[in-house]
Amino acid sequence: MKERVTRRSLLGGAGAAGLIGAFPAAAQSARADEGSFQGKVVLITGATSGIGEATAKAFAAQGAKVGFCGRREQLGREVERQIRRAGGQARYIKADVRVPAQVKAFVDEVARHFGGLDIAFNNAGVSATADPHELTVEQWDDVNDTNARGVFLSIKYEVPHMLSKGGVIICTSSGAAERARPNGAAYTASKRAVQGIVKAAALAYGTRGIRVNAILPGTTDTPFIRVPGLSDEEWEKFKKAYGPLNIDGLERVAEPEEIAGAVLALASPEFGYMTGTSVPVDGGATAGRKMVLPPGTPRS
Ligand SMILES: NC(=O)c1ccc[n+]([C@@H]2O[C@H](COP(=O)([O-])OP(=O)(O)OC[C@H]3O[C@@H](n4cnc5c(N)ncnc54)[C@H](OP(=O)(O)O)[C@@H]3O)[C@@H](O)[C@H]2O)c1
């Protein structure tokens, strides 16, 4: 059975709204005048939900000033409000990473508003699943324009703000860059492209003090993967069964906060000698033999 799943179709139900409420208690009580990213300016693309949202909150809880984008204004404003209410500093700016002028305006405004740019997390992404002959040209273009071209555009406009004093760029690729699925051509191609851009940028800017790495999340519980139509209780049950069937190693789906934790670690000076790499944070999935299927895909 062929299944076509877009990020949009996975966004139905309580998914995004549920995550909005999932700001961890520790982060909520954190003060912006303490923390290991105190005063750093962090830019994130795609932080209106999921991994980006969790990362924005985690950086803000560690004292960073966070500027982030996404197209869904209401969610963006809500994430911004939650971070500020918890004592953090955040600014949401509506921007579509497929549109060069919007990416440039977003990046420049974050740097202007907060006074520079130290760390960028280029994370916005979408997916489309269909075997190659059934994938539409529009789906291919949308996935690649968002995931690959969007990362190129982000780096293009971020780097000028980092050339004089260095910085850190982390880009979201995927475990799918390393392990293809029959119906994942557009997504895998786009996420491998991210790894290529990261390698080139790491070489181009190494001597300017800019580190560039890719993170490869495994299956993570965000609206990206949520099966439409399931109640929260059904989804929890589904996830419990999904992990052991699909994910070697830890045999469970990641929480977005776990991916955020890895992003913060990579951005920290402790990883100051790491650049040009792709780091899987996938519970062991790429080390194993199971084929990770999008949740909801029946195993034949
Ligand atoms: N969840 C997983 O299992 C998994 C695994 C590996 C990799 N990833 C990658 O992780 C990243 C984050 O995904 P997620 O799981 O957190 O899913 P998500 O909750 O759907 O988040 C995707 C984010 O990207 C933003 N986005 C999408 N298209 C955009 C565009 N054209 N312009 C600006 N922002 C855009 C979305 O914001 P708007 O819709 O508001 O624009 C949203 O904030 C993606 O790159 C995804 O490919 C996810």
Side-chain angles (χ1 to χ4, degrees), residues 1 4 14 17-18 22 26 35 76 86 104 120 130 154 172 182 187 189 197 203 231 269 283:
M1 179 185 146
R4 192 167 291 166
K104 183 171 185 340
S154 301
T172 304
Y187 190 65
I197 299 162
L203 299 180
S231 67

Side-chain angles (χ1 to χ4, degrees), residues 68-266:
F68 67 96
C69 79
R71 296 159 302 173
R72 290 167 297 171
E73 201 161 358
Q74 212 179 331
L75 284 181
R77 297 268 167 243
E78 181 61 13
V79 172
E80 179 188 73
R81 192 182 57 77
Q82 290 184 10
I83 290 174
R84 288 180 180 172
R85 212 193 247 169
Q89 295 187 64
R91 172 124 188 253
Y92 164 72
I93 296 166
K94 184 176 180 177
D96 185 329
V97 296
R98 295 167 300 182
V99 184
Q102 291 187 25
V103 181
K104 183 171 185 340
F106 162 61
V107 173
D108 289 349
E109 179 54 19
V110 170
R112 190 203 62 77
H113 181 74
F114 287 126
L117 180 59
D118 299 298
I119 296 162
F121 179 39
N122 300 322
N123 167 72
V126 294
S127 183
T129 50
D131 288 354
H133 75 289
E134 293 184 327
L135 191 70
T136 66
V137 173
E138 290 73 24
Q139 284 176 307
W140 173 274
D141 285 347
D142 188 45
V143 169
N144 282 279
D145 283 356
T146 307
N147 299 2
R149 189 168 176 267
V151 165
F152 154 67
L153 290 173
S154 301
I155 290 175
K156 176 175 173 57
Y157 297 122
E158 289 157 2
V159 163
H161 293 285
M162 295 179 166
L163 282 175
S164 60
K165 59 180 181 61
V168 180
I169 298 176
I170 297 164
C171 303
T172 304
S173 176
S174 169
E178 301 292 331
R179 294 159 57 108
R181 295 189 308 256
N183 59 5
Y187 190 65
T188 287
S190 72
K191 292 301 189 179
R192 277 199 93 98
V194 170
Q195 293 175 296
I197 299 162
V198 158
K199 286 181 186 175
L203 299 180
Y205 307 119
T207 58
R208 309 298 290 265
I210 303 173
R211 298 192 294 113
V212 191
N213 291 291
I215 195 157
L216 278 56
T219 310
T220 307
D221 186 3
T222 72
F224 199 81
I225 66 156
R226 178 108 183 209
V227 178
L230 294 189
S231 67
D232 287 352
E233 201 183 321
E234 288 167 332
W235 175 240
E236 288 307 316
K237 231 168 145 184
F238 179 93
K239 271 198 307 179
K240 264 206 179 109
Y242 178 88
L245 260 181
N246 290 277
I247 301 167
D248 284 301
L250 299 187
E251 297 198 348
R252 66 172 176 83
V253 167
E255 293 302 322
E257 289 76 15
E258 293 177 297
I259 308 300
V263 175
L264 265 67
L266 282 182

Side-chain angles (χ1 to χ4, degrees), residues 20-35 53-64 79 81-89 257 260 264:
I20 286 285
F23 197 2
Q28 288 185 37
S29 63
R31 288 168 47 100
D33 59 355
E34 39 187 58
E53 176 190 352
T55 308
K57 289 175 175 175
F59 270 121
Q62 292 295 326
V79 172
R81 192 182 57 77
Q82 290 184 10
I83 290 174
R84 288 180 180 172
R85 212 193 247 169
Q89 295 187 64
E257 289 76 15
L264 265 67

